[in-house]
């Protein structure tokens, strides 16, 4: 069982992605627990204040230490987090290897930043991993957190079945996935490759591997370079 706590000022942005499809099934099966917390619950005043102007001047608000520290301390009172993750564009780029690693943890916290980010002292004292989902800027960490939790959740043993197996996903072996087809065998002028219709599992497996290799060479040669 993996428990993921998420701290955010916009819980609505995370509720829907965590409540459908495979994320829903993972939670229904008791394999994943996702708890979304409104950071304003730990606000410094009755107006829900959690951010303030930055020292040194400049545009943009910074998320204050106190609400974050109090939230983290309270959420850890029933056991320490294995990882405290801060979602930020200057973090380490998320990939399948990181997803595999995180899926083996027991209890993690994800902090979603907003505005100009969080007071650096929280990063220094509490945060154990800083994650970005790619080289572009989002308005906040919520959509990125949803991406990370989805990628992790589907890797927890028992979440996927044969139909949704992670073993045949792109990246699981540093290869892109091969092309797939379904009925009809002939659509307009396009036919499904004969080998898939012939019913020889060994031949099919070889064909898929060749296709995966070819696709990876054409589209993502960097993945083949990465292989040690
Ligand atoms: Cl984690 N946060 C934000 N705000 N922007 C991003 C990101 C995260 N990853 C890529 N862009």
């Amino acid at each position: 069982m993996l428990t993921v706590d998420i701290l955010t000022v916009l819980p609505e942005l995370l509720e829907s992605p965590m409540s459908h499809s495979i994320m829903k099934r993972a939670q229904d099966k008791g394999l994943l627990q996702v708890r979304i917390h409104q950071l304003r619950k730990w606000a410094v005043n009755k107006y829900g204040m959690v951010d303030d102007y930055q020292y040194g001047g400049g545009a943009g608000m910074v998320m204050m230490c106190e609400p974050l520290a109090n939230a983290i301390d309270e959420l850890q009172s029933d056991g320490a987090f294995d990882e405290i993750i801060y979602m930020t564009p200057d973090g380490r780029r998320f990939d399948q290897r990181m997803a595999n690693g995180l899926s083996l943890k027991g209890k993690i916290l994800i902090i979603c930043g907003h505005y100009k980010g969080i007071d650096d002292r929280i990063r220094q004292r509490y945060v154990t991993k800083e994650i970005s989902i790619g080289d572009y800027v989002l308005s906040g960490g919520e959509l990125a957190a949803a991406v990370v939790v989805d990628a992790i959740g589907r890797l927890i043993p028992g979440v996927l079945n044969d139909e949704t197996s992670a073993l045949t996903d792109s990246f699981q072996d540093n290869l892109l996935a091969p092309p797939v087809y379904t009925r009809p065998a002939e659509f307009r002028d396009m036919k499904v490759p004969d080998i898939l219709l012939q019913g020889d599992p060994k031949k099919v497996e070889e064909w898929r591997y060749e296709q995966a290799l070819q696709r990876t060479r054409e589209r993502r040669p960097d993945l083949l370079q990465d292989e040690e």
Side-chain angles (χ1 to χ4, degrees):
M1 160 73 115
L2 170 64
T3 298
V4 182
D5 287 289
I6 306 177
L7 270 175
T8 171
V9 291
L10 288 169
E12 296 86 354
L13 279 185
L14 281 152
E15 271 150 18
S16 172
M18 293 303 117
S19 307
H20 298 280
S21 183
I22 289 168
M23 292 304 100
K24 178 177 188 326
R25 217 177 46 227
Q27 291 170 88
D28 290 347
K29 281 184 171 175
L31 300 169
L32 171 69
Q33 183 176 35
V34 180
R35 299 186 294 206
I36 304 165
H37 308 277
Q38 170 56 269
L39 179 65
R40 295 196 196 281
K41 206 178 129 194
W42 291 274
V44 296
N45 63 24
K46 64 180 179 185
Y47 306 107
M49 183 181 186
V50 294
D51 59 337
D52 206 343
Y53 297 99
Q54 57 177 315
Y55 278 120
M61 306 295 274
V62 174
M63 290 168 74
M64 305 169 77
C65 286
E66 225 186 315
L68 286 166
N70 287 335
I72 296 168
D73 291 346
E74 186 177 329
L75 294 175
Q76 288 203 106
S77 61
D78 63 336
F81 291 112
D82 299 317
E83 298 283 358
I84 297 181
I85 297 167
Y86 174 46
M87 301 307 304
T88 174
D90 60 15
R92 183 151 146 239
R93 179 109 57 92
F94 189 60
D95 62 16
Q96 194 65 33
R97 184 191 298 244
M98 286 166 81
N100 283 332
L102 290 170
S103 74
L104 304 173
K105 308 278 182 186
K107 184 170 153 85
I108 66 182
L109 174 69
I110 302 181
I111 301 169
C112 302
H114 251 271
Y115 321 111
K116 284 285 157 196
I118 66 175
D119 190 301
D120 210 71
R121 289 167 290 186
I122 294 294
R123 299 173 73 158
Q124 293 164 27
R125 180 65 54 88
Y126 285 98
V127 170
T128 60
K129 254 190 178 45
E130 302 187 323
I131 298 179
S132 160
I133 61 162
D135 292 343
Y136 41 82
V137 177
L138 303 169
S139 310
E142 285 77 12
L143 297 181
V147 165
V148 167
V149 177
D150 186 298
I152 296 168
R154 63 203 307 288
L155 292 173
I156 299 169
V159 169
L160 299 184
N161 53 32
D162 276 357
E163 273 75 65
T164 54
S165 172
L167 295 176
T168 55
D169 284 346
S170 283
F171 301 113
Q172 208 50 42
D173 44 13
N174 251 359
L175 288 178
L176 299 182
V180 294
Y181 300 88
T182 187
R183 289 187 294 177
E186 200 168 339
F187 172 68
R188 300 190 182 157
D189 60 335
M190 295 177 285
K191 286 186 174 143
V192 172
D194 274 334
I195 204 120
L196 298 177
L197 306 175
Q198 284 159 4
D200 180 341
K202 202 164 174 319
K203 284 240 168 75
V204 168
E205 195 189 339
E206 280 169 16
W207 180 86
R208 284 183 175 152
Y209 179 70
E210 280 309 316
Q211 291 287 314
L213 210 53
Q214 188 184 321
R215 274 206 165 171
T216 311
R217 274 195 216 103
E218 284 168 12
R219 299 174 183 206
R220 293 294 306 277
D222 57 300
L223 291 177
L224 298 170
Q225 225 78 75
D226 285 354
E227 213 127 28
E228 287 99 58

